[in-house]
Amino acid sequence: VLGTSRRVLLVTDENVLRLGYAGRVVAALEDSECRVDTVVLPAGEATKSPETLMQLWHRAVACGLERGDIVAGVGGGVIGDIAGMLAATYMRGIALVLVPTTLLAQVDAAIGGKVGIDFAGVKNALGAFHPARSVLIDPAVLSTLPRERVAEGAAEMIKIAVMFAEDLFADFERIHEVDTIVERTDLIRRSAALKAEIVSRDPTEHGVRRYLNFGHTIGHGIEAASGYRLAHGAAVAIGMLAEMRMAVMREICPPSLEDRLRMVLDRLALPGIVKGLNPELVYQAMLGDKKRSGARFWFAVPATTGGGTLIPVSDDDARLAIAIALGRNEWYEFSSCMAQI
Amino acid sequence: VLGTSRRVLLVTDENVLRLGYAGRVVAALEDSECRVDTVVLPAGEATKSPETLMQLWHRAVACGLERGDIVAGVGGGVIGDIAGMLAATYMRGIALVLVPTTLLAQVDAAIGGKVGIDFAGVKNALGAFHPARSVLIDPAVLSTLPRERVAEGAAEMIKIAVMFAEDLFADFERIHEVDTIVERTDLIRRSAALKAEIVSRDPTEHGVRRYLNFGHTIGHGIEAASGYRLAHGAAVAIGMLAEMRMAVMREICPPSLEDRLRMVLDRLALPGIVKGLNPELVYQAMLGDKKRSGARFWFAVPATTGGGTLIPVSDDDARLAIAIALGRNEWYEFSSCMAQI
């Protein structure tokens, strides 16, 4: 996959190194006669900074990385994003190989070319589209992943299934335990393949790829308003239910699909609402969201499990959706499962 | 061209501001109901730094630039490169509009999507491909351009003509004064259009676009070895003659074309050799050039004025070409016009 006799700058984090996954990739690369330099970054979102990017630029120059060489990212979404940002900007773009070690990265973050760093308090404020040359997915590494982080990946798998693939969604309806997901390599493979297909049809997110934002307009708003204490998967689950509610109210999406989605998320212990957030903060965070274009919001929602649609959302309706997500809507309370900030 | 009611972050430099060109663009944008914020950078290559990029990122966030907004670069190649790097990396890429104010930028730098900054002493070590949405070329601004900088643009116009367009090259053979060039808007338009055509056929430089590197392998080497005191246009002129010499020696290029090229460059007072550089420094700079791939060098040379070819160049032949460029080859001295470092 990687070719031989090339130089590889391998970017990973402390956790992935400690669990031995980075070492295994280094050994495999050296067996292929690649010369490997390794950079170990602190684990966590704070690593996606301009300062880290500057550090990686220095390392790339120092180890003599050339245009035909490779940046490899071994880790979760954070590592993929920062390694990808290095590959996208070094010598006008060099090859990127990703070895995602979380479920979220395997089925979502590593696929589709979005790379980036956080800046001035805005997640992914800086970034590029730079698809990985190869994404090497080994579900065996998921055995050490905490349950909350499995649920995080599951939320994105369910999102793509409910939007695009009735058969995959029906398979999720038969799962009653979040732990089961990591054993279901067939579901991981199908979700990753579906994501790859969507993004290959629309790499720069001007068409069908926008439907992958289902749950993410409200989701990003509550995630940001929580100061990122709410997990991304939980935020997406809550966002999907609030956005789908708007679609049902407008008779764009059938109520039966809403019921099915709530049931699937509930069984995986993904929350339907979050308590304790200030709705005005959520609204302000949504205003700052780069997915907004012009004066109003757009929600990407499934019309059926066979395809999505974009619905324009007024300020008032956006506030209503926020109230639903925060469990503050007096005439609508639907979720048994709740996150608390 | 730009649409209306959008926010524009306009990047320019002190010289362009002082000459009034930036103000005219701001006025035109405000007439189109764009809201314009202006950043004025110091003139000169030192502006293409990570520090400037960081400053622009801050300004973009501070003025609330959104995904649908525009970065405008009004200036020469340096401004286009740094403004382009901002546009390429902000929110995974936003629209870029360039108003090039030097001949070099109008016929070459602004066209083709190469953006970048210098890093660790390497020119354009960091960068991306991010083509401008529009390039607005007004040859009237060239009236204030110093003669050396006109010659710089002329070198690139001649390069593309000798490689791709016999008729355009023949027109250059009829020019006896460098000052004439800025009045010949037809030549500027045809050169820019030819560059646009080549890069649209090969945006990422894996095919025909590589022929635009004619003169640039040796050229970059001597430019870097001079500590960038040698002007880019002079370096390219010297590089073209040295690289074409190799092609003539291998009977790839007819000697008549070499004679014609030398005559055209000579009339525009572009140098054929440069004295006072250390050949070993040139060689080392070429080794560090990101256009090298693997162990040997490649020269892109015209086989005729109708098309180019890539020739592999051994270490020994590269040193011979360097000796030719430095006027140190005892059995070959051809140029009446000489640069001195």
Side-chain angles (χ1 to χ4, degrees), chain A residues 190-320:
Chain A
R190 284 158 69 198
S191 300
L194 194 50
K195 169 86 190 266
E197 188 210 319
I198 302 297
V199 300
S200 72
R201 279 160 59 193
D202 174 24
T204 51
E205 200 172 335
H206 291 96
V208 67
R209 184 170 182 171
R210 293 194 291 177
Y211 299 147
L212 295 179
N213 286 324
F214 176 40
H216 283 66
T217 307
I218 293 290
H220 280 157
I222 57 179
E223 203 180 356
S226 79
Y228 295 97
R229 283 175 295 158
L230 188 64
H232 181 68
V236 168
I238 295 163
M240 284 195 285
L241 287 173
E243 293 177 16
M244 191 178 264
R245 186 90 278 271
M246 302 305 293
V248 169
M249 284 163 63
R250 297 198 196 174
E251 299 184 350
I252 286 162
C253 172
S256 58
L257 189 57
E258 185 187 13
D259 293 338
R260 292 172 66 194
L261 177 62
R262 196 181 316 139
M263 181 75 79
V264 167
L265 296 174
D266 215 47
R267 282 183 180 152
L268 298 179
L270 283 160
I273 57 173
V274 54
K275 290 281 186 184
L277 286 183
N278 179 339
E280 192 53 32
L281 281 184
V282 178
Y283 179 78
Q284 290 301 328
M286 283 167 60
L287 278 183
D289 190 306
K290 62 195 175 306
K291 287 188 183 65
R292 196 172 61 95
S293 154
R296 57 161 42 139
F297 300 93
W298 292 85
F299 289 173
V301 291
T304 65
T305 49
T309 189
L310 288 175
I311 56 174
V313 178
S314 67
D315 255 22
D316 283 349
D317 278 356
R319 289 181 192 278
L320 175 58

Side-chain angles (χ1 to χ4, degrees), chain B residues 272-287:
Chain B
I273 57 171
V274 54
K275 290 279 188 188
L277 287 184
N278 178 338
E280 191 54 31
L281 281 184
V282 179
Y283 178 79
Q284 290 302 328
M286 283 167 60
L287 278 182

Side-chain angles (χ1 to χ4, degrees), chain B residues 105-108 111 135 137 157 160 168 186-199:
Chain B
Q106 290 188 345
V107 299
D108 191 32
I111 300 164
V135 181
I137 297 177
M157 294 165 83
I160 200 164
L168 186 58
D186 60 320
L187 299 185
I188 296 172
R189 186 177 43 70
R190 283 157 68 198
S191 300
L194 193 50
K195 170 84 191 268
E197 187 209 318
I198 302 296
V199 300

Side-chain angles (χ1 to χ4, degrees), chain B residues 25-111:
Chain B
V25 176
V26 171
L29 288 168
E30 288 178 343
D31 280 351
S32 309
E33 295 181 12
C34 291
R35 290 160 296 167
V36 184
D37 289 85
T38 303
V39 185
V40 182
L41 300 172
E45 184 78 19
T47 286
K48 280 176 58 176
S49 68
E51 291 71 28
T52 310
L53 182 60
M54 188 85 78
Q55 174 192 345
L56 291 178
W57 284 341
H58 274 292
R59 275 299 292 271
V61 170
C63 74
L65 211 64
E66 293 186 2
R67 190 174 273 189
D69 292 334
I70 293 169
V71 172
V74 183
V78 166
I79 290 299
D81 279 0
I82 186 85
M85 193 67 183
L86 169 63
T89 54
Y90 191 69
M91 293 191 174
R92 299 207 183 92
I94 72 171
L96 173 68
V97 171
L98 292 177
V99 185
T101 58
T102 64
L103 183 58
L104 183 63
Q106 290 188 345
V107 299
D108 191 32
I111 300 164

Side-chain angles (χ1 to χ4, degrees), chain B residues 5 23 106 108 113 194 231 244-245 270 278 291 310:
Chain B
S5 303
Q106 290 188 345
D108 191 32
L194 193 50
M244 191 178 262
R245 186 89 280 273
L270 282 161
N278 178 338
K291 287 189 183 62
L310 288 175

Side-chain angles (χ1 to χ4, degrees), chain A residues 50 54 57-58 61 66-67 85 88-93 114-115 119-120 124-129 290-292, chain B residues 50 53-54 57-58 61 66-67 85 88-93 114-115 119-120 124-129 290 292:
Chain A
M54 188 85 79
W57 284 341
H58 274 292
V61 170
E66 292 186 3
R67 191 174 271 190
M85 193 68 183
T89 53
Y90 191 69
M91 294 191 173
R92 298 207 183 91
K114 287 190 180 177
V115 302
F119 188 71
N124 298 316
L126 308 174
F129 286 95
K290 62 195 175 306
K291 287 188 183 65
R292 196 172 61 95
Chain B
L53 182 60
M54 188 85 78
W57 284 341
H58 274 292
V61 170
E66 293 186 2
R67 190 174 273 189
M85 193 67 183
T89 54
Y90 191 69
M91 293 191 174
R92 299 207 183 92
K114 285 189 180 179
V115 301
F119 189 72
N124 298 316
L126 307 175
F129 286 95
K290 63 196 174 305
R292 197 173 61 95

